[in-house]
């Protein structure tokens, strides 16, 4: 049978039971090549040829002596495409926002000023922070002169559009908005290990368009374990924020929002409800750029900041075999030891910490970071290798001696979360759209639970607060020592993923959701409460 997208969606609608059994469930969809493709937006202005723009340096912000930092969200013009100016919404007016560098043990107090015309919320993704600093979708900074009644209007419009009288009756609690006038401070205790986190907007129903327009940036945590390893630093540590976009004839960002003002009607036009993707890959805000690297070992820290695009990346020299990567860390920390791989998968919101060695290449060689994609967006970044060989020295054999591998024996509760399309435009978890006042689970502080994620489609599932290890993945690698500690995991169509998740440090209300931002905006979120 032909297992096309419609069949899958129909199976998702009609297939009863948690696993939605259908003909498509027989293993036909196990290979990445068979994942349904999203329809990318097409740019309508000239896009520079690959590797003609230099990789920009993203400014770094460090907290002051008392841990304080301030960023202002504002509209700005950015020169993303050479010679054109693009209106963006940016932290400090930048796309991506400044990279924040923090240290384990030194709390950060981040003040955000909202000088935009829309409400915002800033979530530190992968961060361990108290619930009132977690930047949830209802905890908003509203701009000067904004009428809060618009928030309820948008929520009602969203539900009407997503669920037009299909007989579902979803009992909703009153919406517990928390509103801050023009600015607020988030408190991050920085109890966690070194990792590349990121911060981004998380406004209810409008995260997709607001991140697309620029409200995201990288956040590094350093610690002593990392300091003690001989890892490449400074110019040889590259932080790479990958995000696909598309541009209109004037070089403005295209996004199929139902309400381009991003005020009253959430959601995207029908053809894009599976997720919005573009036809230009931006790295640190530049289109398919190039950079020069020395002939030695480098550390690449990758962030998939795309709204919906899955990446599979490899390093391709002009001649000879692909260069291997050594994976040394995943979303929220170092692995116990390096793992050598030929290609890496990176779902939206995932990060990877990689070592690559350019010393075997001749002076002047070019190595491309390529994305295996069926829809043509295959070029990402070029490394032009230059200079004298720097002998890389041995790889560290141990990265984190105290790496804690979670085991089934520690599990005190098991829960299942099924990610599925229901109704017209409704992406649900366990059959329900997001209920802002509800809670689907109440794990106990300090315990480990087994959470099983199942799905009808492709969903990068993200858990706030609780870091996890993958214990079982029907379509992928399950070795926790290869995957490390994570906060986001891809659940492929008809996939089943079990994670062991540990809840530490804070009690209170957090959330899990799909990190395909269009699914998230169309209700694929749920609260849980750590008790
Ligand atoms: Cu990166 Cu709740 O999100
Ligand atoms: Cu999803």
């Amino acid at each position: 049978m032909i297992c096309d997208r419609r069949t899958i969606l129909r199976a998702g609608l009609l297939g009863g039971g948690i696993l939605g059994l259908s003909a498509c469930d027989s293993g036909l969809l196990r290979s990445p090549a068979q994942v349904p493709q999203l329809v990318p937006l097409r740019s309508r202005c000239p896009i520079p040829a690959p590797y003609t723009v230099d990789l920009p340096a993203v400014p770094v912000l460090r907290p002051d002596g008392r841990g304080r930092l301030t960023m202002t969200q504002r509209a700005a013009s950015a020169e993303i495409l050479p010679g054109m100016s693009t209106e963006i919404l940016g932290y400090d007016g930048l796309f991506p926002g400044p990279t924040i560098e923090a240290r384990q043990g030194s709390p950060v107090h981040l003040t955000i000023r909202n000088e935009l015309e829309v409400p915002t919320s800033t979530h530190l993704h992968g961060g361990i922070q108290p619930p009132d600093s977690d930047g949830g979708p209802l905890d908003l900074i509203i701009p000067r002169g904004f009428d809060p009644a618009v928030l309820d209007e948008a929520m009602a419009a969203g539900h009407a559009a997503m669920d037009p009288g299909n007989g579902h009756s979803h009992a909703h609690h009153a919406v517990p908005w928390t509103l801050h006038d023009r600015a607020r401070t988030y408190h991050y205790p920085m109890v966690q290990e070194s990792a590349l986190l990121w911060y981004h907007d998380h406004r209810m129903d409008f995260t997709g368009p607001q991140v697309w327009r620029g409200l995201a940036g990288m956040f590094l945590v350093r610690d002593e374990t990392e300091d003690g390893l001989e890892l490449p630093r400074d110019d040889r540590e590259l932080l790479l924020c990958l995000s696909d976009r598309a541009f209109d004839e004037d070089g403005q960002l295209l996004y199929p929002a139902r309400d381009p003002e991003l005020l009253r009607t959430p959601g995207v036009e029908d053809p894009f409800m599976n997720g919005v993707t573009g036809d230009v890959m931006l790295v640190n805000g530049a289109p398919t750029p190039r950079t020069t690297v020395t002939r030695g070992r480098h550390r690449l820290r990758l962030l998939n900041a795309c709204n919906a695009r899955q990446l599979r990346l490899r390093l391709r020299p002009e001649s000879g075999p692909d260069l291997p990567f050594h994976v040394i860390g995943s979303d929220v920390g170092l692995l116990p030891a390096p793992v050598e791989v030929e290609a890496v998968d990176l779902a939206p919101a995932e990060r990877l910490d990689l070592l690559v060695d350019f010393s075997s290449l001749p002076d002047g060689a070019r190595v491309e970071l390529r994305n295996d994609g069926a829809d043509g967006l295959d070029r990402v970044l070029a490394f032009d290798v230059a200079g004298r060989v720097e002998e890389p020295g041995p790889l560290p054999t141990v990265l984190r001696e105290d790496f804690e591998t979670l085991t089934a024996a520690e599990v005190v509760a098991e829960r299942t979360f099924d990610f599925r399309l229901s109704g017209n435009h409704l992406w649900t978890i366990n059959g329900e759209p997001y209920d802002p006042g509800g809670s689907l689970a109440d794990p106990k502080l300090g315990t480990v639970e087994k959470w099983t994620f199942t799905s009808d489609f492709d969903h990068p599932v993200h858990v706030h607060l609780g870091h996890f290890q993958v214990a079982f993945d029907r379509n992928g690698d399950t070795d926790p020592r290869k995957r490390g500690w994570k906060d986001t995991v891809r659940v492929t169509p008809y996939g089943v993923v079990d994670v062991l998740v540990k809840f530490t440090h804070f009690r209170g209300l957090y959330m899990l959701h799909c990190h395909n931002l269009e699914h998230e905006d169309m209700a694929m979120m749920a609260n849980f409460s750590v008790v």
Side-chain angles (χ1 to χ4, degrees), residues 360-489:
S360 64
L361 296 159
D363 187 14
R366 170 168 278 183
V367 179
E368 290 174 85
L369 184 66
R370 289 279 202 134
N371 172 37
D372 295 355
D375 60 4
L377 218 171
D378 57 343
R379 284 148 201 248
V380 177
L381 170 68
F383 298 101
D384 290 322
V385 184
R388 285 206 323 244
V389 173
E390 299 161 2
E391 280 308 327
L395 274 176
T397 51
V398 176
L399 296 162
R400 196 170 276 289
E401 232 153 293
D402 55 355
F403 186 91
E404 178 196 3
T405 303
L406 301 178
T407 64
E410 296 167 81
V411 167
V412 301
E414 300 189 6
R415 306 176 202 270
T416 296
F417 300 94
D418 181 50
F419 290 74
R420 182 167 301 275
L421 185 74
S422 333
N424 189 13
H425 286 103
L426 203 57
W427 293 100
T428 60
I429 301 179
N430 290 353
E432 293 294 325
Y434 183 52
D435 177 359
S439 169
L440 285 193
D442 51 356
K444 289 199 180 63
L445 182 69
T447 64
V448 174
E449 297 200 351
K450 182 169 111 180
W451 285 12
T452 298
F453 304 132
T454 59
S455 88
D456 60 339
F457 192 69
D458 208 321
H459 301 292
V461 173
H462 170 48
V463 180
H464 287 212
L465 183 77
H467 294 169
F468 57 73
Q469 293 172 3
V470 177
F472 172 77
D473 181 342
R474 192 166 77 181
N475 297 338
D477 201 339
T478 60
D479 182 349
R481 302 180 68 80
K482 285 190 192 166
R483 291 226 194 184
W485 283 101
K486 295 178 60 58
D487 59 50
T488 305
V489 66

Side-chain angles (χ1 to χ4, degrees), residues 123-126 134-137 198-202 207 349 351 462-464 487-488 511-515 517 520 525:
H123 171 58
L124 178 58
H125 180 122
D134 197 45
W198 62 305
Y199 60 89
H200 60 75
D201 180 63
H202 214 305
T207 296
R351 286 87 67 209
H462 170 48
V463 180
H464 287 212
D487 59 50
T488 305
M511 61 187 337
L512 78 158
H513 60 85
C514 180
H515 219 289
L517 297 183
E520 174 180 339
M525 303 197 285

Side-chain angles (χ1 to χ4, degrees), residues 12 14 66 156 158 165 195 229 235 290 317 324 335 338 344 400 413 472 503:
L14 302 178
R66 290 156 72 183
L229 296 166
D235 287 354
R290 60 154 302 281
L335 301 188
V344 293
R400 196 170 276 289
F472 172 77
F503 300 93

Side-chain angles (χ1 to χ4, degrees), residues 494-513:
Y494 294 91
V496 178
V497 177
D498 292 339
V499 300
L500 303 182
V501 52
K502 189 166 184 177
F503 300 93
T504 64
H505 295 92
F506 299 104
R507 292 191 177 82
L509 206 62
Y510 291 91
M511 61 187 337
L512 78 158
H513 60 85

